[in-house]
Amino acid sequence: VATVDDTWLVTAITAWSATITVKTDDRWLTDSCSCEIYVVPITSFQLNKSTTSITYWNTEQLSVTITPNNATYQWVTWTSSNPSVATVDDNWLVTSVWEWNCTITATSNDWVHSASCSVTVNLIHVTWISLNKNSVTVNAWEQEQLTATITPSNANIKTVTWSSSNTWVSK
């Protein structure tokens, strides 16, 4: 309920009552103080966004406004309805993981208040790939550099795989 340290500082932990007692080292003399500890309840608990859209493997910072400023339970627990779509850390940062929808929920430590944000993760797909040359003529043991251009340039997954239809030619 309450703690007291060597500097006589009383720290309230939760609502209830406690008696703080001081004793001399020989324990003959004592005095005490009755403490009533009250909870300042949360009257408003709001997220800065109720919906958001994030592109694949990007982040979105959420925040909670708790009223009043001196509410007893200021701690917030964050959860994701689908961590394979988006995760949320203790710093209220949402990270997209894969394309889909989920809900990020913030819950006050009094377990009375909560707020949610609907998250849509968008994956920007490659719509076109083209090479810088349609054909090349190369002498044996020479090289020719090809370049692949991906459209759109802001596609999330731009990994390409190169292959040859004939890696060995003999006469």
Side-chain angles (χ1 to χ4, degrees):
V1 174
T3 62
V4 61
D5 66 16
D6 292 338
T7 65
W8 311 337
L9 180 67
V10 176
T11 303
I13 297 172
T14 188
W16 204 260
S17 62
T19 302
I20 305 298
T21 304
V22 61
K23 296 180 183 182
T24 61
D25 284 341
D26 61 8
R27 303 205 184 268
W28 287 100
L29 299 172
T30 65
D31 199 4
S32 61
C33 173
S34 178
C35 296
E36 294 294 325
I37 302 165
Y38 297 95
V39 170
V40 177
I42 295 172
T43 57
S44 174
F45 186 89
Q46 295 180 321
L47 283 177
N48 62 323
K49 297 180 179 190
S50 60
T51 62
T52 190
S53 183
I54 311 172
T55 56
Y56 172 72
W57 213 246
N58 280 302
T59 60
E60 179 77 32
Q61 185 68 56
L62 295 180
S63 64
V64 174
T65 302
I66 297 173
T67 307
N69 292 353
N70 66 338
T72 302
Y73 297 105
Q74 293 278 332
W75 306 280
V76 177
T77 302
W78 293 87
T79 57
S80 171
S81 67
N82 192 344
S84 63
V85 173
T87 60
V88 59
D89 65 18
D90 292 336
N91 297 316
W92 312 350
L93 186 67
V94 177
T95 302
S96 62
V97 178
W98 195 245
E99 183 179 35
W100 200 249
N101 303 307
C102 72
T103 301
I104 301 297
T105 302
T107 305
S108 64
N109 274 24
D110 65 0
W111 299 104
V112 174
H113 299 86
S114 66
S116 296
C117 179
S118 177
V119 176
T120 300
V121 177
N122 297 307
L123 182 62
I124 301 172
H125 295 275
V126 173
T127 57
W128 189 260
I129 185 169
S130 61
L131 292 175
N132 62 326
K133 298 178 182 181
N134 291 330
S135 66
V136 293
T137 302
V138 182
N139 292 327
W141 301 108
E142 289 183 355
Q143 297 177 333
E144 182 71 30
Q145 181 69 52
L146 295 177
T147 304
T149 301
I150 293 187
T151 305
S153 61
N154 65 339
N156 293 115
I157 302 174
K158 298 182 201 179
T159 306
V160 296
T161 303
W162 295 86
S163 64
S164 171
S165 64
N166 190 352
T167 58
W168 178 259
V169 177
S170 62
K171 292 184 179 184

